[in-house]
Amino acid sequence: LDIALMHTPFRSVEADYETIARDPYVVVISRSSPLASHIYEKGGKPYIDLRLLANEKYILAYPSQRVRQVSDRILSMAGITPDITFMTSSVETAMRVASVGIGITLMPKSYISLFTCPAEPFFWHLEDQYEPWWTFVAAYPKDSELSGPALEMVKILKEIFSWHESKTQFDLTSYIFSLCQSHSNMLY
């Protein structure tokens, strides 16, 4: 294996990696939740103090899933042992169940636009002290170096993700095509 695109943390792989992007996690809560009175704004985004969610019911992925491992890390950093009411292998299911008030969940912010809900939930940010993100990386064998083309791919991916973070909606296919055109000299 020369390179793998994946999220940290690694479970059993010894690898070096190049960070491409951080994807923040958000808390998904029903709009009918009384927790809405605890929201505050920071940088134009809604936030909640994670410690206020210590006694809530949680909908989480299975422990073997990376999305769950990141959720567990975030909750642990806040001193929370979640009361899990429901486990699912689907981030979409967790979001949909949370949207109708059966519990709350944590999920990567980038997933929000991928799914619809029966009731539009709140998506609240968390303070950096809880490290509420997962990191998308280009991993490669420990003690080796990325090839020139692999380094160029990582550079392009970083451009895509940094551009995406500045937009609320965009057409990824068109953007990748325009990047490929601007980097066409790499194809020859």
Side-chain angles (χ1 to χ4, degrees), residues 147-187:
S147 66
L151 287 169
E152 187 64 20
M153 180 186 75
V154 168
K155 178 182 169 191
I156 291 169
L157 286 169
K158 286 180 178 183
E159 289 177 30
I160 290 169
F161 281 90
S162 69
W163 188 83
H164 175 254
E165 289 171 2
S166 69
K167 306 295 177 194
T168 54
Q169 291 186 348
F170 76 109
D171 179 353
L172 180 60
T173 305
S174 297
Y175 184 68
I176 291 173
F177 182 74
S178 70
L179 270 178
C180 288
Q181 286 182 320
S182 68
H183 292 276
S184 62
N185 62 332
M186 294 299 296
L187 301 175

Side-chain angles (χ1 to χ4, degrees), residues 93-138:
T93 298
M95 184 176 91
R96 290 170 136 267
V97 172
S99 77
V100 295
I102 295 174
I104 65 175
T105 194
L106 286 84
M107 65 182 276
K109 185 178 177 183
S110 65
Y111 284 26
I112 294 171
S113 64
L114 302 177
F115 311 123
T116 59
C117 288
E120 183 67 24
F122 287 124
F123 299 101
W124 294 334
H125 294 264
L126 300 168
E127 291 291 346
D128 284 352
Q129 74 190 59
Y130 305 116
E131 298 180 11
W133 57 76
W134 66 357
T135 305
F136 184 55
V137 301

Side-chain angles (χ1 to χ4, degrees), residues 44-104:
K45 298 175 186 172
Y47 278 76
I48 190 163
D49 183 344
L50 183 56
R51 294 170 297 184
L52 296 174
L53 309 179
N55 296 319
E56 296 299 312
K57 302 279 187 201
Y58 283 82
I59 299 115
L60 296 174
Y62 291 106
S64 62
Q65 293 178 262
R66 186 137 312 129
V67 69
R68 167 67 182 275
Q69 295 159 13
V70 174
S71 295
D72 285 348
R73 185 199 73 224
I74 294 166
L75 293 168
S76 175
M77 292 189 80
I80 296 173
T81 302
D83 179 3
I84 301 169
T85 193
F86 181 68
M87 282 194 288
T88 177
S89 61
S90 167
V91 174
E92 178 181 17
T93 298
M95 184 176 91
R96 290 170 136 267
V97 172
S99 77
V100 295
I102 295 174
I104 65 175

